[in-house]
Amino acid sequence: MKTIKQTGLIIFLIGLALFILLPVLGTFQLSSASATSILQDKGIKSPIFSEEIETHIVGQEFQGMMALSPKIAAALETANSQHRKNKEYDKVIYANAHDLALTVGKASGVGFIAENKGLMWLLTFGFGILGSLMFILPNVILLGKKGIKNDGIYHETATNRGWIAWLVFIFLVSFYLILYFKAEYAVNWTYLVDPISEALSGNPAGHWFVYGFMYCVVMTVMAVRMYIKYRHNMYQIIRTTSVLFFQIVFAFLIPEIMVRLQMPYYDFKNAFPLDYDFFFSWNLKELLASGGIGIFILVWGIALTLIVVPVMVYFFGKRWYCSWVCGCGGLAETLGDPYRQHSSKSLFSWKVERWLIHGVLVFAVGMTLMTLYSFFTESGTVLGIRTQSVQNTYSLAIGAVFAGVIGTGFYPIFGNRVWCRFGCPLAAYLGFVQRFKSRFRITTNGGQCISCGNCSTYCEQGIDVRAYAQKGENIVRSSCVGCGICSAVCPRGVLKLENGPLKGRINPTDVLLGNDVDLMELANKK
């Protein structure tokens, strides 16, 4: 079995290495017909840009996007500078340079990679999936009887911020930086999944389709690991299956099929304010122009936020969304599970968490109010502040850097719920309801607690669960996502997830956040 695991690891690393190399490989040669088609599709009216493309790019062969991308950026800069100098603002090109470079690269790919998409998929995604499963599946036998072995996580370089963890960190951060800020370097990745994209939506793959597909693949493979590790716990098996279903079906398949049916691209499980651009003017106009389906999406989005979310949290806690439905939580619970022990339990981290996550919520709500005011009044400013500037700031700082680069890239170093704990505005909203008006709580039995610390170690939200368990205190926290791992790793059955009456949900004793609990003093209080 160990030989199978080692072979699987080698196969996985081969696939990963080729995937990493793809952004700097490939041959690109743009034809005149493709150039004309791109200009028409993008609505570009600049004769200067057209001339620059014809002179410096069309017909020439470029080895990799590192050679082609600067040429496109230079052509764009030359054209826009001249048009602004001549005050020809109707001809200025406002398209993002990296997205434009991706479009040009996509249309000009030639050679082995572009012409052998199926083989390249097998050598990257195929090897990655096969190697991962070969590495994971033998654990059914190697781990022996059902149950979780909690020893060793701080002795492995992969799970204790060792060199393997840092390599994973570098890969994840680099991957997100390319997706958000250097999209043209993802062009070879898009070729790998073109056949899948065309089968679903009828369109060639873009870099966000690559992300969606990879997201589903990674979650599925790592879910197998979850099934094996937590196979003694039915709650974990059902919960893992649920997040897989909602990610693959609702977040990936349905939106792509909707595009094929000429409907707006929409993820029906994505609630505001996590879906922060739902009320942006361009989205509202697109929905209103889409007829009945657009109106339905608009009404559903509002009802989901104002009615469904608080009602469901009242009955089941925020776990119904954060641990059973949300794609961010789904990735954190599968890919991020090996790193959950890195979530800081310090009081300082808790203070930062409270200020930061609620600050993001206030930012999101304020931005949305500005957006709606601008939409209905047809004004681009509110109190002299440009609404578009606020939207751009949020999209960059929160939507890209925090939720993407930091939120996922930092898994191996700071734990798997960095975004959910410190940045997600929807988690903050759900937390308000859960803390003050929800039937959900985790009950504890202090008489059975042996203070092993497994619960606190594995809490991905940085809650010192043991401090509650030692004194039999109900755990009622805004940040708790109800993943239930603390209960799953408890060797004594001390912890239990419950939905009960509001009365008695919070014990009359003080809620202590650290381990400095004077049990004798506590007993005298009672």
Side-chain angles (χ1 to χ4, degrees):
M1 286 299 169
K2 291 185 178 180
T3 302
I4 294 176
K5 285 175 66 73
Q6 292 171 352
T7 303
L9 180 60
I10 293 172
I11 294 174
F12 169 79
L13 291 176
I14 292 173
L16 179 63
L18 182 55
F19 185 85
I20 292 173
L21 288 173
L22 282 180
V24 297
L25 300 178
T27 303
F28 301 90
Q29 188 172 32
L30 184 68
S31 66
S32 182
S34 294
T36 302
S37 178
I38 291 171
L39 295 175
Q40 291 176 347
D41 291 342
K42 293 290 185 180
I44 296 176
K45 303 175 182 179
S46 168
I48 299 176
F49 182 73
S50 178
E51 182 179 348
E52 289 288 317
I53 292 292
E54 285 287 342
T55 303
H56 300 291
I57 297 178
V58 169
Q60 298 186 36
E61 188 175 285
F62 298 89
Q63 296 301 318
M65 286 303 299
M66 295 184 70
L68 175 58
S69 181
K71 295 286 185 180
I72 299 170
L76 186 63
E77 178 62 27
T78 298
N80 283 342
S81 296
Q82 191 62 44
H83 290 312
R84 289 192 174 97
K85 181 179 179 180
N86 297 336
K87 297 183 178 180
E88 299 171 325
Y89 298 111
D90 60 321
K91 297 179 181 179
V92 173
I93 304 168
Y94 294 99
N96 181 280
H98 300 293
D99 291 339
L100 186 59
L102 173 63
T103 302
V104 173
K106 183 79 173 182
S108 58
V110 294
F112 187 84
I113 297 174
E115 295 170 4
N116 295 274
K117 298 175 181 178
L119 177 60
M120 292 306 299
W121 186 94
L122 179 63
L123 294 175
T124 52
F125 279 102
F127 272 27
I129 295 170
L130 176 63
S132 298
L133 292 177
M134 290 178 65
F135 185 81
I136 292 171
L137 288 174
N139 286 336
V140 173
I141 297 174
L142 293 176
L143 291 180
K145 63 181 182 179
K146 293 182 179 180
I148 302 172
K149 293 184 177 180
N150 299 306
D151 57 326
I153 58 171
Y154 289 116
H155 299 158
E156 301 289 338
T157 55
T159 54
N160 192 30
R161 303 187 180 103
W163 66 272
I164 294 179
W166 281 101
L167 288 179
V168 175
F169 163 80
I170 292 171
F171 168 74
L172 290 174
V173 169
S174 301
F175 177 72
Y176 274 89
L177 288 175
I178 289 175
L179 285 178
Y180 282 105
F181 304 111
K182 293 287 185 178
E184 67 269 31
Y185 291 103
V187 64
N188 280 335
W189 292 341
T190 68
Y191 290 137
L192 305 179
V193 292
D194 267 344
I196 301 172
S197 178
E198 290 166 357
L200 291 175
S201 67
N203 301 316
H207 61 301
W208 291 120
F209 184 88
V210 173
Y211 179 53
F213 179 76
M214 190 170 183
Y215 207 102
C216 293
V217 168
V218 170
M219 275 187 62
T220 302
V221 171
M222 293 301 288
V224 174
R225 176 186 175 278
M226 292 288 289
Y227 288 139
I228 295 173
K229 181 176 181 181
Y230 300 105
R231 62 192 186 278
H232 70 295
N233 192 302
M234 186 56 65
Y235 180 82
Q236 299 303 324
I237 292 174
I238 296 175
R239 187 175 68 94
T240 301
T241 304
S242 176
V243 293
L244 266 185
F245 169 77
F246 280 103
Q247 172 59 35
I248 294 173
V249 177
F250 278 80
F252 184 65
L253 294 178
I254 290 179
E256 294 294 333
I257 294 172
M258 287 178 68
V259 171
R260 191 180 192 93
L261 298 176
Q262 321 252 308
M263 297 180 183
Y265 183 99
Y266 184 67
D267 176 359
F268 284 93
K269 69 171 181 55
N270 214 9
F272 172 85
L274 179 59
D275 185 8
Y276 65 87
D277 58 4
F278 182 78
F279 292 104
F280 281 13
S281 297
W282 61 265
N283 189 53
L284 293 177
K285 291 177 181 178
E286 180 180 337
L287 293 178
L288 293 174
S290 300
I293 184 64
I295 299 297
F296 174 78
I297 290 173
L298 184 59
V299 172
W300 166 251
I302 296 173
L304 179 62
T305 301
L306 299 181
I307 300 174
V308 176
V309 164
V311 169
M312 291 293 286
V313 173
Y314 171 77
F315 284 106
F316 305 106
K318 65 191 287 186
R319 60 176 171 160
W320 81 270
Y321 191 85
C322 296
S323 285
W324 288 69
V325 173
C326 180
C328 300
L331 189 69
E333 294 293 348
T334 51
L335 175 64
D337 181 72
Y339 312 112
R340 61 190 312 121
Q341 65 275 2
H342 295 322
S343 295
S344 173
K345 312 300 187 294
S346 70
L347 185 61
F348 173 77
S349 296
W350 180 64
K351 290 179 178 179
V352 171
E353 171 190 333
R354 286 190 303 162
W355 283 101
L356 196 53
I357 194 170
H358 295 119
V360 173
L361 176 61
V362 171
F363 189 178
V365 172
M367 174 188 67
T368 301
L369 292 175
M370 291 180 64
T371 299
L372 292 175
Y373 176 84
S374 297
F375 178 76
F376 287 111
T377 63
E378 298 184 352
S379 170
T381 62
V382 178
L383 300 177
I385 303 173
R386 290 186 67 246
T387 301
Q388 185 66 50
S389 298
V390 176
Q391 292 175 345
N392 292 342
T393 300
Y394 189 97
S395 298
L396 174 63
I398 309 300
V401 176
F402 204 158
V405 179
I406 295 176
T408 302
F410 281 42
Y411 278 3
I413 309 302
F414 293 113
N416 61 326
R417 287 273 189 171
V418 176
W419 163 246
C420 309
R421 183 182 177 187
F422 294 98
C424 179
L426 180 57
Y429 170 39
L430 296 170
F432 271 128
V433 183
Q434 175 168 280
R435 178 65 177 82
F436 298 106
K437 204 67 177 176
S438 174
R439 295 165 62 88
F440 174 70
R441 89 289 302 272
I442 299 179
T443 59
T444 65
N445 183 345
Q448 293 292 319
C449 180
I450 59 174
S451 298
C452 67
N454 286 344
C455 53
S456 292
T457 297
Y458 281 85
C459 180
E460 59 193 357
Q461 291 296 111
I463 301 172
D464 191 356
V465 181
R466 180 173 57 180
Y468 292 88
Q470 287 172 331
K471 62 185 190 301
E473 185 82 41
N474 283 342
I475 302 173
V476 179
R477 291 280 289 270
S478 296
S479 58
C480 178
V481 294
C483 67
I485 297 297
C486 59
S487 177
V489 299
C490 178
R492 300 282 289 175
V494 173
L495 305 160
K496 185 178 181 182
L497 281 67
E498 293 186 359
N499 296 322
L502 291 180
K503 185 178 180 181
R505 190 172 72 105
I506 302 178
N507 291 351
T509 56
D510 295 334
V511 176
L512 303 178
L513 300 174
N515 287 323
D516 300 327
V517 181
D518 188 334
L519 295 178
M520 294 303 296
E521 181 181 344
L522 189 64
N524 291 332
K525 282 185 179 181
K526 291 184 177 180

